[in-house]
Amino acid sequence: MSVISSASGASCWRGLDYYKKNKIINLKKINDYEYTSTVIGTNNYNVYLDVSHPRKSTCTCPLANGKRIICKHIVATFFTAFPKEAKNFEEEQERLQEEYEDYQEKLYNKTRKYISSMTKKELIDELSYVLDYAPDWVYNDFVRRNDIE
Ligand SMILES: [Zn+2]
């Protein structure tokens, strides 16, 4: 398990933000796998990073202190020690976002195509179903826009 895959998505994003804002001071390399740092903010926290055993990393912040949690401070320290990992993380997130948008666009087009192929009866049944289960505002909007009342 890597530091990134051991951390939550929120910790990764916040950690990236801290890294970009240079909030990590006193980065010290113990060896190729272990680092220590101080992360500055409202409070300063001390981080011990173990890249080969991420869960052994520690931070003195309230979220991670005494727990085996990879907080944003640990992630920020990791990105500071390995800037290429920060770049990879960002590129991977961009790629996933593009993939997701691509998928959404294809699904939208397929749905439009399917709607065009439906019979009037199918459309009536489907619209009735959607209006029955839609939130009130959708139903009210439908009534208002079609001058039903
Ligand atoms: Zn922390």
Side-chain angles (χ1 to χ4, degrees):
M1 290 294 267
S2 75
V3 173
I4 295 308
S5 60
S6 305
S8 71
S11 288
C12 290
W13 283 111
R14 299 293 307 279
L16 183 70
D17 189 48
Y18 272 47
Y19 157 70
K20 285 183 167 177
K21 289 177 178 162
N22 297 311
K23 293 194 175 203
I24 293 78
I25 56 169
N26 294 333
L27 180 74
K28 289 195 184 90
K29 183 175 178 172
I30 301 168
N31 55 49
D32 283 348
Y33 304 103
E34 294 172 281
Y35 295 80
T36 59
S37 78
T38 303
V39 181
I40 50 170
T42 316
N43 297 298
N44 293 355
Y45 299 116
N46 298 318
V47 170
Y48 161 75
L49 170 68
D50 184 336
V51 178
S52 49
H53 307 97
R55 295 275 173 199
K56 288 186 180 168
S57 302
T58 61
C59 177
T60 55
C61 77
L63 180 72
N65 198 6
K67 300 167 201 132
R68 290 162 70 87
I69 289 173
I70 311 294
C71 64
K72 61 191 173 191
H73 309 110
I74 295 172
V75 173
T77 300
F78 174 66
F79 284 154
T80 305
F82 302 92
K84 201 171 179 301
E85 294 288 342
K87 198 166 164 281
N88 288 347
F89 173 77
E90 267 194 300
E91 282 171 3
E92 175 67 4
Q93 297 305 312
E94 274 168 30
R95 196 185 61 73
L96 289 172
Q97 181 64 30
E98 276 167 26
E99 219 174 80
Y100 176 74
E101 282 166 14
D102 214 49
Y103 168 79
Q104 288 297 320
E105 194 185 316
K106 281 190 182 123
L107 188 62
Y108 178 81
N109 291 334
K110 274 167 89 174
T111 305
R112 299 294 296 197
K113 199 174 161 198
Y114 176 72
I115 290 170
S116 307
S117 76
M118 292 169 84
T119 65
K120 187 171 181 183
K121 183 180 180 312
E122 285 170 338
L123 286 167
I124 291 168
D125 288 348
E126 232 10 85
L127 184 58
S128 302
Y129 172 82
V130 168
L131 287 175
D132 278 350
Y133 288 96
D136 282 350
W137 73 265
V138 174
Y139 187 85
N140 294 335
D141 187 52
F142 178 79
V143 168
R144 190 176 45 74
R145 281 188 299 111
N146 293 283
D147 290 322
I148 294 170
E149 247 186 346

